Amino acid sequence: MDPLEGVKPWKDTSYFLMRACAERGHEVCHLDQKDLYAKHDRLYGHLTWLDILEDGDFPFAAIRSESASMMDIDVVWIRTDPPLDRRYFYTTLLLDLLPETTRVVNRPSGVRNFNEKLAALQFPDLTPQTLVTSDADEIVRFAERCGRITVKPIDGFGGKGILFFNAGDPLERIAGAVRDNRHWVIAQEYLTAAADGDKRILLLDGEPLGAILRVHADGQELNNMDAGGTPNPSTLSARDLEICRALGPALRDQGLYFAGIDIIGGMLIEINVTSPTGLQEMSRFDGVDYHHRIIEGLERCAS
């Protein structure tokens, strides 16, 4: 995962999962992507073993650090934040060296295959009208058809780089989004239901655990919590369950044990497989220890 210094223990899903591991008697260690290395066909890591503390100021205490074989670990969980850049890509290839006796969550090949912005296009009946392009003129024509559109970078995350355009907006403004035709973006028809928030559903082994509703701050349009959105309790509608049933087999086939999907107005927007968030908020709202349920599932697989 990312460096421990950046963890926000009151909201961070990775920290919440680490706490569940510790509370269930497991040893927990941390490593950054740069801490992985291979000797021929064996994978090693510079590991820092941790005590996981319920302390908002000091949530971790280092027990020891060592260089050790990753082959001896029961479960390795990839929780580095996107984007899935070249370094992230190479990390997944290194993790492919681990034997079947080490469970990797989510499966590295599945993380590579399910781009968080593009994977939803494998389910076209569930998504709004979408255009993927690096051509500003194409975006102009798409906006003319849809009236209002949302444009986001193909490698964006946390609401970063999201823009809104209307039919008739100057070409120069749209050209900036594609960086003079050098960068792919995703353009989607604007869903008016976004004004009421977007729903984050967390799935475990292809089955829905629950949901939260993220609602933008006053005067803002982005519902992402990293962009100032506020989490609220939510439930699963019949349409939500339909979407989950459609995605479940693909998630299981790709080894995507823990995923988060974003839904606006009953339409699938994104499939998050690198470091989906919202678990702490959902657990508090529902009064359920979902983090323990997730680790319990891994215990059954490893036993």
Side-chain angles (χ1 to χ4, degrees):
M1 57 184 275
D2 293 304
L4 296 176
E5 296 76 28
V7 168
K8 300 179 178 65
W10 59 90
K11 67 182 287 294
D12 192 285
T13 293
S14 297
Y15 166 75
F16 202 43
L17 291 167
M18 294 162 86
R19 257 187 52 194
C21 288
E23 289 167 358
R24 300 179 71 83
H26 303 298
E27 294 181 288
V28 181
C29 66
H30 167 271
L31 69 163
D32 199 338
Q33 290 177 331
K34 62 180 174 55
D35 297 323
L36 284 173
Y37 65 99
K39 292 181 180 179
H40 198 54
D41 62 340
R42 295 186 65 85
L43 188 64
Y44 295 82
H46 299 297
L47 311 178
T48 301
W49 295 91
L50 301 169
D51 268 340
I52 314 300
L53 310 174
E54 292 189 55
D55 188 322
D57 296 320
F58 302 100
F60 306 106
I63 300 171
R64 68 183 188 278
S65 296
E66 62 178 347
S67 292
S69 170
M70 300 286 288
M71 313 285 190
D72 300 325
I73 292 177
D74 296 308
V75 177
V76 175
W77 199 318
I78 314 170
R79 286 282 307 177
T80 303
D81 287 343
L84 205 156
D85 53 14
R86 183 177 299 181
R87 185 187 192 193
Y88 211 131
F89 178 79
Y90 290 150
T91 296
T92 65
L93 292 176
L94 285 172
L95 290 170
D96 279 340
L97 295 174
L98 290 172
E100 291 185 1
T101 51
T102 298
R103 174 80 179 269
V104 184
V105 180
N106 286 319
R107 186 188 298 159
S109 60
V111 172
R112 293 194 298 269
N113 291 341
F114 260 58
N115 175 278
E116 298 192 323
K117 297 293 188 292
L118 297 179
L121 298 181
Q122 299 182 32
F123 308 91
D125 294 341
L126 305 177
T127 63
Q129 289 298 305
T130 302
L131 171 72
V132 181
T133 185
S134 60
D135 188 329
D137 291 323
E138 288 283 353
I139 299 175
V140 169
R141 289 190 285 270
F142 186 68
E144 289 172 350
R145 292 197 302 273
C146 296
R148 182 167 173 78
I149 61 173
T150 303
V151 176
K152 50 193 172 184
I154 204 169
D155 55 358
F157 61 98
K160 296 178 180 178
I162 294 179
L163 300 169
F164 301 95
F165 296 102
N166 295 308
D169 278 352
L171 177 62
E172 294 76 17
R173 183 167 179 257
I174 292 176
V178 295
R179 303 175 196 172
D180 297 323
N181 297 347
R182 295 194 306 270
H183 192 74
W184 274 320
V185 299
I186 296 176
Q188 288 184 323
E189 63 175 311
Y190 179 79
L191 299 175
T192 57
D196 300 321
D198 72 66
K199 189 176 292 189
R200 162 60 58 88
I201 299 175
L202 295 173
L203 297 97
L204 181 64
D205 203 21
E207 298 293 334
L209 278 176
I212 60 173
L213 184 70
R214 303 175 298 185
V215 180
H216 55 268
D218 289 342
Q220 303 296 318
E221 288 195 87
L222 295 178
N223 294 311
N224 308 67
M225 290 189 287
D226 285 342
T230 301
N232 293 269
S234 188
T235 57
L236 297 169
S237 69
R239 173 63 172 175
D240 297 333
L241 294 173
E242 177 188 353
I243 292 173
C244 291
R245 284 193 296 270
L247 269 58
L251 295 174
R252 286 188 289 270
D253 183 63
Q254 292 289 334
L256 299 171
Y257 177 74
F258 184 60
I261 63 174
D262 297 337
I263 294 177
I264 297 176
M267 304 299 284
L268 176 65
I269 306 299
E270 290 184 12
I271 304 174
N272 300 272
V273 300
T274 52
S275 58
T277 59
L279 188 65
Q280 285 210 49
E281 294 84 356
M282 196 174 82
S283 293
R284 285 197 294 269
F285 293 146
D286 295 354
V288 177
D289 289 334
Y290 289 118
H291 56 325
H292 278 265
R293 187 178 298 181
I294 291 167
I295 302 305
E296 182 184 12
L298 292 175
E299 290 170 348
R300 289 195 296 269
C301 295
S303 63

